Amino acid sequence: MGRTPPHPEVSQFDLQQVLEALVDPVRRSIVTQLDAADEDVKCGGFDMAVSKSTATHHFKVLREAGLIRQYYVGTSRMNALRRAEMDEAFPGLLDALTTRQATGR
Amino acid sequence: MGRTPPHPEVSQFDLQQVLEALVDPVRRSIVTQLDAADEDVKCGGFDMAVSKSTATHHFKVLREAGLIRQYYVGTSRMNALRRAEMDEAFPGLLDALTTRQATGR
């Protein structure tokens, strides 16, 4: 478990930090793709046109804000949306950003 | 009416622009203060610790994103939250950002 990066608890979630994570369109796309997926997604499994190092940075920002949980399966780093915890901290926020209407704009 | 600044129509609202407006804590505070007020508020009527020119910039960003409507009454520039139009474009977004729980963090 030594490779599992640190994650904030729900009580540590900060609206400002969450909004700064979600204002970036690439990071918001990661969240909407995770929300639409039926399962957790490995870092290489997202549709995004950025370099690997840029992607790693985006995942880190999302993880530190509490939006995603990262863990390893073998050599793959997996990503899970912390939907329930985010809904507990900021009810309706992810709903508003992942609806068809919102993502279509 | 020549002094009334331009405002976007609902069909022109853009989620990215709205989030860029709302990610700033001062601008988010203007929105939550307007949401809590029973009436429109003049530019000088907000609780915020920024210079007048900085405040003017923040109002402009909010107006151009479609979050507020500005109009004159005599020499006072008044601000109205475009709540219904924003709810139409991005259902739940302002609710999520103006709840007591969200604003308390």
Side-chain angles (χ1 to χ4, degrees):
Chain A
M1 296 293 288
R3 291 191 304 168
T4 303
H7 292 78
E9 301 295 323
V10 177
S11 63
Q12 297 172 305
F13 286 4
D14 175 75
L15 179 60
Q16 184 60 37
Q17 190 175 0
V18 169
L19 288 177
E20 287 170 8
L22 291 172
V23 77
D24 183 277
V26 173
R27 291 196 289 269
R28 205 160 62 250
S29 173
I30 292 171
V31 168
T32 54
Q33 288 181 58
L34 270 177
D35 188 65
D38 288 332
E39 52 192 7
D40 299 348
V41 180
K42 62 183 178 184
C43 286
F46 292 89
D47 175 21
M48 54 180 165
V50 299
S51 69
K52 188 173 175 181
S53 67
T54 298
T56 299
H57 166 72
H58 286 316
F59 287 119
K60 180 171 184 280
V61 172
L62 289 170
R63 188 188 73 236
E64 291 179 346
L67 283 155
I68 63 171
R69 185 172 295 283
Q70 294 192 298
Y71 60 95
Y72 276 91
V73 173
T75 57
S76 292
R77 187 178 273 205
M78 303 297 297
N79 300 278
L81 186 62
R82 298 178 70 178
R83 178 84 202 207
E85 293 161 286
M86 203 44 66
D87 286 349
E88 178 189 338
F90 308 113
L93 182 60
L94 283 188
D95 280 335
L97 297 177
T98 56
T99 56
R100 186 169 52 87
Q101 189 168 12
T103 55
R105 282 168 185 260
Chain B
M1 297 295 287
R3 290 191 304 167
T4 303
H7 292 78
E9 301 295 323
V10 178
S11 63
Q12 298 172 305
F13 287 4
D14 176 75
L15 180 61
Q16 184 61 36
Q17 190 175 2
V18 169
L19 288 177
E20 287 172 7
L22 291 172
V23 76
D24 182 277
V26 174
R27 291 196 289 268
R28 204 159 64 249
S29 173
I30 292 171
V31 168
T32 54
Q33 288 180 60
L34 270 177
D35 188 66
D38 289 331
E39 51 192 8
D40 298 348
V41 180
K42 62 183 178 184
C43 286
F46 292 88
D47 176 20
M48 54 179 166
V50 299
S51 70
K52 188 173 174 180
S53 65
T54 298
T56 298
H57 166 72
H58 286 315
F59 286 120
K60 180 171 183 280
V61 172
L62 289 170
R63 188 187 73 238
E64 291 180 345
L67 283 154
I68 64 171
R69 184 172 295 282
Q70 294 193 297
Y71 60 95
Y72 276 93
V73 173
T75 57
S76 292
R77 187 178 274 206
M78 303 297 297
N79 300 278
L81 186 63
R82 298 178 70 178
R83 178 82 202 210
E85 293 161 286
M86 204 44 66
D87 287 349
E88 178 189 338
F90 308 113
L93 181 60
L94 283 187
D95 280 336
L97 296 177
T98 56
T99 57
R100 187 169 51 87
Q101 187 168 11
T103 55
R105 280 166 186 260

